[in-house]
Amino acid sequence: MNDTKQRPLIIAEISGNHNGSLERALEIVRSAAKAGAHAIKIQTYTADTITLDVDTPAFRVSDDHSLWGARTLHSLYEEAHTPWEWHAPIFALAQELGMLAFSTPFDESAVEFLESLDVPMYKIASLEIVDLPLIEQVASTGKPVILSVGTASIAEVAQAVEAARRGGCENLTLLACTSSYPAEPDDANLRRIPVMKEMFGVDVGLSDHTMGVGVSIAAVALGATVIEKHVTLRRADGGVDSAFSLEPEELRLLVEGCDAAVRALGSANVWATGAESESLRLRPSLYVAADVEAGDAVTTHNVRSVRPAGGLPPSDLPRVLERTFARPAAKGTPVSWDLLR
């Protein structure tokens, strides 16, 4: 998806943080653009397309869930969904501000709707990694696909990758993900990133639900080419996803931190660099430390290892101490072999 020599693609996920307001959703788009995000993503479903309006234990979030405990899936998704009529204005504003704009579909009708809006790419959510027909349908559009692997075993990831390729996807990116809200850094297991890249031969990024930006920046250092983070205007405003979302200033720090991380990787073949030229000039060397006359013996009093460079290297001091001065020299004269005899 993204050239590993370039900065990673930073995706700002709005999800349910619009809190039921189109104007708030648009303000999130503006704030993400100002912070430097490269893409805006939303989710395309309704409560009725993603679940059933049933109130039994199977259709409720577990009681002990830190954010959504005991809520029915239908009521949660009814609150969190982005109305389909909002998609066009959200996408239009993002594009106007220079960002990619796309979505995560959850069923066939959502893919058809998003195709009518000519989205440039697609994301498959972690829980839908087992929905192989959906993955094939998305892949059949011929557009780039980002596939999040949260909750999946290696075998399930392999099946999903095969479904994407079977559907015709030629530009696939996998996202390491811990499908927990919020997630703990201890559960990120970022060492999966280079392993997934080698195993499946695709770019790998991170869908990050941890607090802060440290985990995402670490992922970039391990080769992540895409970073996805939920964003909001203010966590204090509340909302279904606000607790693990970045505020605008944090998003700006994420963009800057990831950019710095990929630039810092550099090359393993480079040691001293041009940027160190002034420091190189200031490395210690041997200098005359007191005025001397021709014939004076070299001593630790009149020759010392001091900064800057210019004289013989400090490692030559034992041999220098065996010599005498061939001519007068003032304090501050760099020591050279022709100064000695």
Side-chain angles (χ1 to χ4, degrees):
M1 181 75 59
N2 215 31
D3 189 329
T4 55
K5 295 181 181 179
Q6 298 175 348
R7 58 185 180 173
L9 181 73
I10 307 297
I11 301 171
E13 164 69 78
I14 296 177
S15 186
N17 285 326
H18 51 67
N19 293 357
S21 165
L22 173 58
E23 185 48 49
R24 180 181 172 88
L26 296 175
E27 187 57 32
I28 293 174
V29 173
R30 295 185 191 99
S31 69
K34 185 176 181 180
H38 311 127
I40 281 288
K41 192 185 79 67
I42 57 179
Q43 299 180 3
T44 306
Y45 64 86
T46 68
D48 290 323
T49 62
I50 199 171
T51 191
L52 302 176
D53 189 3
V54 174
D55 187 1
T56 63
F59 284 84
R60 291 191 211 111
V61 181
S62 298
D63 290 347
D64 59 355
H65 192 282
S66 62
L67 298 181
W68 312 313
R71 292 195 60 175
T72 67
L73 298 182
H74 195 274
S75 69
L76 178 63
Y77 297 140
E78 180 65 32
E79 177 184 351
H81 87 285
T82 301
W84 291 22
E85 61 270 22
W86 292 6
H87 284 49
I90 290 172
F91 290 167
L93 177 60
Q95 292 162 2
E96 178 186 326
L97 296 174
M99 291 188 289
L100 291 168
F102 65 108
S103 186
T104 298
F106 289 81
D107 76 324
E108 181 179 349
S109 67
V111 178
E112 293 171 352
F113 173 69
L114 290 170
E115 278 297 284
S116 74
L117 297 178
D118 195 26
V119 294
M121 56 199 292
Y122 285 93
K123 158 82 185 292
I124 299 292
S126 287
L127 303 193
E128 274 58 44
I129 196 168
V130 294
D131 192 341
L132 302 185
L134 176 65
I135 294 172
E136 280 197 56
Q137 182 192 10
V138 167
S140 71
T141 66
K143 296 173 180 175
V145 176
I146 298 174
L147 176 61
S148 192
V149 306
T151 74
S153 65
I154 292 177
E156 288 170 333
V157 175
Q159 291 169 349
V161 169
E162 176 56 32
R165 290 173 173 157
R166 190 166 57 245
C169 178
E170 297 181 353
N171 191 337
L172 178 66
T173 297
L174 298 177
L175 297 187
C177 175
T178 304
S179 190
S180 176
Y181 309 90
E184 292 296 328
D186 311 68
D187 297 323
N189 296 307
L190 297 181
R191 294 186 190 275
R192 293 180 294 170
I193 290 173
V195 173
M196 289 164 59
K197 178 179 176 63
E198 181 177 358
M199 182 177 296
F200 298 107
V202 298
D203 281 347
V204 179
L206 176 69
S207 178
D208 183 12
H209 302 138
T210 65
M211 298 301 296
V213 302
V215 170
S216 288
I217 294 172
V220 172
L222 287 169
T225 59
V226 174
I227 298 293
E228 179 188 63
K229 268 283 202 178
H230 284 64
V231 297
T232 188
L233 296 177
R234 291 163 298 276
R235 280 189 293 274
D237 293 343
V240 294
D241 296 330
S242 62
F244 57 92
S245 298
L246 295 182
E247 295 182 351
E249 177 60 16
E250 295 168 322
L251 179 58
R252 183 187 66 79
L253 293 174
L254 173 70
V255 173
E256 293 178 354
C258 289
D259 186 33
V262 77
R263 288 164 49 210
L265 292 175
S267 169
N269 298 320
V270 175
W271 293 91
T273 71
E276 297 173 310
S277 58
E278 179 65 6
S279 292
L280 284 169
R281 191 184 69 78
L282 298 177
R283 293 200 301 186
S285 65
L286 299 182
Y287 272 81
V288 175
D291 294 346
V292 295
E293 299 295 333
D296 285 353
V298 177
T299 69
T300 55
H301 171 71
N302 57 32
V303 169
R304 291 175 51 204
S305 172
V306 296
R307 295 183 180 186
L312 293 172
S315 59
D316 282 339
L317 182 60
R319 288 195 294 158
V320 168
L321 289 171
E322 298 172 354
R323 306 294 184 98
T324 58
F325 285 96
R327 60 179 186 273
K331 179 180 180 180
T333 301
V335 175
S336 60
W337 289 118
D338 61 8
L339 182 62
L340 308 172
R341 63 185 178 195

